[in-house]
Amino acid sequence: MNKRDLDFLKALTEAPSPSGYEAPAADILRARLKGVADTIETNVLGSVHATLTGTAAETAKGKAPSVMIAGHLDEVGMMVKYITDDGFISYDPIGGVDAAVLPGMRVNVYATGEGATTQTAASKGTAAEKKDASRSHEIIRGVVGRKPIHLIEPDERKSVTQNDRLFIDVGLDGKEAKKRIRIGDAITYGVGFEEFGDGFAVARAFDDKLGVWIAARVLEDVKKAGRARGDVIAAGTVQEEIGLRGGITSAYGVNPVIGISAEVGHATDYPDIDKRKYGESICGKGPLIARGPNINPVLFERLIDAAKKAKVEYQIGPEARATGTDANAIQLSRGGKVAGLISIPLRYMHTPTEVLKLKDLDAAVKILTRFVLDLDEKVDFTPR
């Protein structure tokens, strides 16, 4: 992965975007594809649709199918629910936040109170957050607190302290906290992107900023290759973590013939994971091409063929029921869509330390680019 693409991935993962607060990540996607896509539109929910027009006009045999590749812009996070008179914050989780990983965690509160200052935002936070200083929030550092182990009764130590028993300490008195922080302000884990080990990377929000990255990179590579015969849409959808809402509305509004969700999948290559129960998914062995009732069988085979033509490794991801991804929303849109799912093996999903191997992302781009370029008016996705 070259430096420009790596910087793009870093910027996406570090942009604060819990469900319902995706604008900073959407800004980054629009900026990347400006001058690449023929049109870039943002719907009222906040989902971004960047379209590269196809080269083929409709013929007697029909028209080459349009393809939407969707990654969701949102990440799991939290929201300010209550501020005590002493300045401590109670919060509600946004999406599947694991309370077990939170105690002792540093977090960022994106404050929009009347006393918040964007000047502070410009001097704190990750690189992406510093660039976001023009937005009307201040980044306030907080830590998730609870009683230390010395003060916890032996029986309590055996159970996870739930979210409603945890709190966030922002180091401010009550008056100052209430002046700068507003109820409903967004909160993220206070960590960024980092490379480590042999080709690995860790970030708080690979789920699913990597899907957005893949969609954008496919659009770029398809254009470099001379465009596809049908339209190609790179979609950054919103609110996936709280009910596939952007996937539902984008599939309906864009109305592509084919919709492929670019996502994360559970890696099973670390201790205490039962492969008999969860299957085999190994970081560095290529993306997972999903197969099952949520996936059009003709599309599945064509993705396998594309992987072979691109000469990259891939794995098959068995999905015996509806997937918890935008592919599920896409398949059921209107009268039904040709739905697919390609996922990157990811360790420790929904934690502050999601881990993957970078070369799997490049492989996914090559597979999807080859798939898109091979489509023409003759293709028939009707199961036989």
Side-chain angles (χ1 to χ4, degrees):
M1 188 178 296
N2 63 44
K3 184 178 185 304
R4 180 171 181 266
D5 292 341
L6 194 67
D7 287 346
F8 177 39
L9 181 62
K10 175 180 170 65
L12 280 172
T13 58
E14 293 183 348
S17 60
S19 304
Y21 301 81
E22 297 94 346
D27 284 347
I28 292 169
L29 176 60
R30 284 188 292 261
R32 174 75 179 210
L33 293 181
K34 183 179 181 180
V36 177
D38 296 308
T39 62
I40 301 177
E41 299 176 345
T42 305
N43 69 14
V44 293
L45 267 72
S47 295
V48 177
H49 308 134
T51 301
L52 188 66
T53 306
T55 62
E58 190 167 358
T59 68
K61 295 179 181 179
K63 187 176 181 180
S66 55
V67 183
M68 180 177 77
I69 300 172
H72 65 86
L73 292 158
D74 59 316
E75 61 181 297
V76 298
M78 292 159 279
M79 173 192 289
V80 175
K81 185 175 185 178
Y82 174 71
I83 305 171
T84 73
D85 290 340
D86 295 324
F88 295 97
I89 293 174
S90 297
Y91 62 88
D92 264 343
I94 299 175
V97 175
D98 184 355
V101 305
L102 287 178
M105 185 72 208
R106 299 179 189 184
V107 298
N108 288 334
V109 180
Y110 300 91
T112 65
E114 292 183 2
T117 61
T118 55
Q119 183 178 3
T120 304
S123 62
K124 293 184 179 180
T126 64
E129 289 160 346
K130 290 173 185 176
K131 292 178 182 178
D132 194 37
S134 62
R135 291 197 171 274
S136 56
H137 66 233
E138 174 187 358
I139 302 169
I140 295 178
R141 175 66 86 191
V143 296
V144 181
R146 68 161 198 185
K147 292 185 294 184
I149 193 169
H150 315 71
L151 306 182
I152 298 174
E153 297 298 327
D155 287 346
E156 290 183 73
R157 298 177 191 176
K158 299 175 184 178
S159 60
V160 172
T161 305
Q162 296 304 308
N163 285 302
D164 61 357
R165 300 295 302 278
L166 296 172
F167 55 88
I168 296 173
D169 183 346
V170 292
L172 301 172
D173 63 34
K175 183 178 179 180
E176 187 67 15
K178 291 179 181 181
K179 179 181 177 183
R180 292 159 67 178
I181 299 169
R182 187 162 56 151
I183 300 301
D185 281 344
I187 305 166
T188 67
Y189 303 134
V191 294
F193 174 96
E194 183 181 354
E195 294 180 78
F196 76 105
D198 182 16
F200 283 92
V202 57
R204 72 165 191 261
F206 280 136
D207 181 11
D208 184 37
K209 308 299 184 66
L210 66 79
V212 178
W213 185 93
I214 289 169
R217 289 287 299 107
V218 171
L219 203 74
E220 291 173 331
D221 283 3
V222 169
K223 185 171 184 178
K224 288 178 184 176
R227 298 179 180 250
R229 292 182 65 78
D231 295 348
V232 184
I233 304 95
T237 63
V238 297
Q239 300 187 36
E240 189 269 358
E241 296 290 359
I242 57 171
L244 314 180
R245 296 175 181 185
I248 292 168
T249 50
S250 290
Y252 187 92
V254 174
N255 194 23
V257 175
I258 302 166
I260 299 174
S261 176
E263 260 285 5
V264 296
H266 292 290
T268 61
D269 58 354
Y270 57 95
D272 295 331
I273 300 293
D274 186 349
K275 293 181 181 180
R276 295 173 302 173
K277 183 175 181 179
Y278 299 108
E280 185 170 67
S281 171
I282 301 173
C283 292
K285 294 296 184 180
L288 298 157
I289 300 176
R291 186 181 190 190
N294 192 175
I295 309 304
N296 179 277
V298 180
L299 181 142
F300 166 77
E301 295 295 351
R302 290 184 73 101
L303 285 174
I304 296 295
D305 289 342
K308 292 176 179 177
K309 288 181 181 179
K311 297 181 180 180
V312 296
E313 288 186 289
Y314 68 90
Q315 304 171 77
I316 295 177
E319 298 286 351
R321 55 190 61 83
T323 65
T325 71
D326 281 342
N328 187 35
I330 291 166
Q331 183 189 38
L332 302 177
S333 182
R334 294 182 182 255
K337 298 292 181 187
V338 179
L341 171 62
I342 188 165
S343 305
I344 303 301
L346 185 77
R347 298 174 183 169
Y348 328 127
M349 197 180 298
H350 281 202
T351 76
T353 52
E354 296 181 336
V355 168
L356 53 71
K357 204 146 194 179
L358 290 168
K359 72 174 188 176
D360 289 337
L361 276 69
D362 288 324
V365 172
K366 291 178 181 177
I367 292 169
L368 289 171
T369 300
R370 185 70 267 160
F371 167 81
V372 168
L373 293 172
D374 285 347
L375 294 171
D376 59 26
E377 311 83 280
K378 300 176 184 178
V379 64
D380 181 3
F381 286 96
T382 307
R384 304 293 183 190

